[in-house]
Amino acid sequence: MEMKDFSLQGKVALVTGASYGIGFAIASAFAAVGARVVFNDIRQELVDKGLAAYAAAGIEAKGYVCDVTDEAAVQAMVAQIEREVGVIDILVNNAGIIRRIPMTEMSAEEFRKVIDVDLNAPFIVSKAVIPAMIRKGHGKIINICSMMSEFGRETVSAYAAAKGGLKMLTRNIASEYGQYNIQCNGIGPGYIATPQTAPLRETQPDGSRHPFDQFILAKTPAGRWGETADLQGPAVFLASDASNFVNGLILYVDGGIHAYIGKQPG
C-alpha cells in the first residue's frame, strides 16, 4: 500500500445534507485530499449557507436544493451533477433528522417522517448513483449510521429503528453490489460536539456539568465528546482505495463506548 491509496484526487463526492456539521466536516476532508465536492440541502437558504462556509474554508463546492426523500427529485439532481461535474464516485448518505418523543406519545406520522429521512432517503439516493458506479467499475457509499444502530434509548424509537435499518441496508448493498467493485460501509458516530448538542454540554447555574454531559463522559473511555474532525480520517479511509477490500462494515467512531460497560458507582 502507498499513501496515494488515500488520495481522492479527481473523484466526485456527493455528501447529502452537508451544509454544516458532520456532513460539512466530511466533505471538507474529502476536498483536502483532492475530491470535487457536491452537496445538497432541502432549502435554498441552507445551500447558500453551506456554499458560504465552503468558500470561507477555501473549498470549491457545488450545492443543490433537493429533498432526498423525493425519488424523482433525487434522480434529477444526480443527472444534473453528472452533467455539470461528473459521475459520482463517492456517496455519503449524511442527511438525517431525530425526534425525541416517548414512543407512546409519538404519532405514526412523526415515526414515518424519521424513517423516511433516515432510512428511505439513503435507499433512494444509493439507488440513483449505483447504476453509474456499475458502469464505471467502482464506487464508494458511506452511510452515516449511529450508536442507535446497535443500542436503544428512551425517546428515540423512530431514530433507532431507522438507524438499525440503515445498518442492514449498508450490509445488503455490500452483499448485492460488491461484485461490481462497489464498497458500502457505514460510520457510526459517538456523541459529537456540534451546535445541536451544545445545550447538553452547557455548564449549569451551580457550576456543574449538565446531567447528560456527565452521563456521556462516564460512558466514554476517551473521557470526552467527539469532534467532527474525529470523523474525517475514517471517512477518507472508507472513501479511498485504501478500503477496497472493506465492505459491509459499520465503523463506530465513539471513543470506545461500544467496548465499555461503564464506571462502577463510587
Side-chain angles (χ1 to χ4, degrees), residues 23 71 90 113 120 153 165 174 204 216 235 256:
E71 186 167 11
I90 301 157
K113 178 62 175 178
N120 290 342
R153 192 165 63 79
Q204 302 302 286
I216 293 305

Side-chain angles (χ1 to χ4, degrees), residues 112-135:
R112 289 189 191 102
K113 178 62 175 178
V114 175
I115 298 295
D116 206 21
V117 176
D118 292 356
L119 179 56
N120 290 342
F123 163 79
I124 289 168
V125 185
S126 298
K127 177 184 173 184
V129 304
I130 284 172
M133 289 179 173
I134 291 173
R135 290 192 296 271

Side-chain angles (χ1 to χ4, degrees), residues 13-35:
L14 167 61
V15 185
T16 66
S19 296
Y20 58 91
I22 288 172
F24 178 83
I26 289 174
S28 298
F30 288 171
V33 289

